Amino acid sequence: CEPCMPGSFCPEGASAPLSCAEGTHSTATDLTSADECSPCPAGSACSTGATAPTECNPGTFSPAARSVACELCQPGEFQPETNSTSCLPCFDEALGVYCPSAGTSTPTPCGGGTYSNASGLSSSLQCTSVESGFYAPTGSKYAEACPESGFTCPGRAADKVNDPPGSKPIL
């Protein structure tokens, strides 16, 4: 008899190997029943006949064992790591950010002239536009007050000089 191939099992008298079920895997060559296939661990996925778990990529996750496929993080969430079991709310300690699409692995900074210190944003429209007397460079968590002498800050809506508007003081 031939040894049973990895990713499969061979019951007694089998004329061909049977694949390990989706959500399980095996590297062994001597399995005799489906119960001997190992469950795919959380943070990874296993298709039918898998010889090893496939780690979830950044922007995806697998919350439980025996997953067939990794799930995409939803807008407003992100996941920078591989082999993850959940997504994180869109947030950055240093920057104002949003996570616009499913499967985001890196948050997007709020554009110049806007800011946000909130977490879980899913659109640039959720970043707050600066008002008159303030400016905000790209990725700002807070609007900055216009310098008191020699500068003007008309706010994002009225700034006709800067690109993007409201991103820096005007001399």
Side-chain angles (χ1 to χ4, degrees):
C1 293
E2 296 291 321
C4 203
M5 300 172 6
S8 62
F9 62 97
C10 298
E12 187 175 334
S15 61
L18 301 172
S19 296
C20 287
E22 60 184 23
T24 66
H25 69 97
S26 175
T27 58
T29 59
D30 57 354
L31 303 186
T32 59
S33 79
D35 294 338
E36 293 177 290
C37 297
S38 300
C40 197
S44 62
C46 297
S47 60
T48 302
T51 57
T54 301
E55 288 186 345
C56 293
N57 290 323
T60 67
F61 70 104
S62 170
R66 297 188 177 272
S67 290
V68 177
C70 297
E71 300 175 38
L72 293 173
C73 294
Q74 295 303 303
E77 300 176 330
F78 80 110
Q79 181 48 258
E81 305 293 329
T82 60
N83 206 33
S84 298
T85 58
S86 65
C87 295
L88 305 168
C90 192
F91 183 74
D92 187 291
E93 289 292 326
L95 300 173
V97 296
Y98 63 99
C99 298
S101 59
T104 297
S105 60
T106 305
T108 302
C110 288
T114 67
Y115 63 95
S116 178
N117 62 358
S119 67
L121 301 185
S122 60
S123 168
S124 62
L125 300 175
Q126 294 173 302
C127 298
T128 305
S129 292
V130 293
E131 299 293 327
S132 179
F134 295 90
Y135 71 100
T138 298
S140 293
K141 286 188 85 128
Y142 301 98
E144 297 183 39
C146 197
E148 291 184 20
S149 146
F151 292 92
T152 182
C153 298
R156 185 171 187 223
D159 187 343
K160 306 293 184 221
V161 176
N162 291 314
D163 184 23
S167 60
K168 60 186 176 182
I170 300 168
L171 186 59

